[in-house]
Amino acid sequence: QVQLVESGGGSVQAGGSLRLSCAASGFPGSIDCWGWFRQAPGEKREGVARIYTGNNLTYYSPSVKRRFTISHDAKSTLYLQMNSLKPEDTAMYYCVAEPRSGGYCYTRQYESEYNYWGQGTQVTVSS
């Protein structure tokens, strides 16, 4: 059974940090494109960051660039280090994966382009 399980969300004050993790299991091989989306109440889902593991090329949305860092390890875990958090970062954060992207990852910006989703982890930033 293919699964993506997020953890690490929580409540933090503005300026604080959190580290999200996403553990992948059940995939027949390695994942070459995965990332994070978020959805705030009443808002559309937004692609926050993604990484192509073939060459570790990363993409960040302008709203999080230079504050968030996406990374992965050899044990099929994806991370999102979030620093200098702002109240507008409050959202449900979802891990997404596309195991065989064929190298098409940097511009894979739409929800429909990812076949695998985690259940989400809530991040709340208070002012």
Side-chain angles (χ1 to χ4, degrees):
Q1 181 183 359
V2 170
Q3 272 192 311
L4 297 172
V5 180
E6 301 99 333
S7 60
S11 297
V12 65
Q13 289 194 324
S17 298
L18 284 172
R19 189 193 198 201
L20 305 184
S21 299
C22 172
S25 62
F27 289 89
S30 61
I31 298 169
D32 68 8
C33 179
W34 50 345
W36 296 91
F37 277 70
R38 68 183 181 186
Q39 187 170 25
E43 302 288 333
K44 292 174 61 176
R45 280 185 186 174
E46 171 194 18
V48 173
R50 51 191 173 268
I51 185 167
Y52 175 60
T53 60
N55 58 9
N56 285 329
L57 182 65
T58 57
Y59 167 85
Y60 298 95
S61 70
S63 60
V64 307
K65 201 169 186 179
R66 287 182 289 276
R67 299 188 297 121
F68 291 10
T69 302
I70 189 170
S71 63
H72 67 98
D73 66 17
K75 296 184 179 180
S76 298
T77 303
L78 182 72
Y79 302 99
L80 186 68
Q81 177 67 43
M82 305 185 296
N83 298 329
S84 302
L85 282 162
K86 305 175 181 180
E88 51 263 42
D89 294 318
T90 295
M92 184 72 78
Y93 283 70
Y94 299 91
C95 175
V96 297
E98 189 53 44
R100 293 291 178 264
S101 71
Y104 170 55
C105 186
Y106 186 81
T107 54
R108 192 181 286 267
Q109 61 179 312
Y110 301 111
E111 298 177 57
S112 59
E113 295 179 296
Y114 295 89
N115 286 308
Y116 301 97
W117 288 72
Q119 81 288 351
T121 185
Q122 178 68 38
V123 171
T124 302
V125 184
S126 58
S127 57

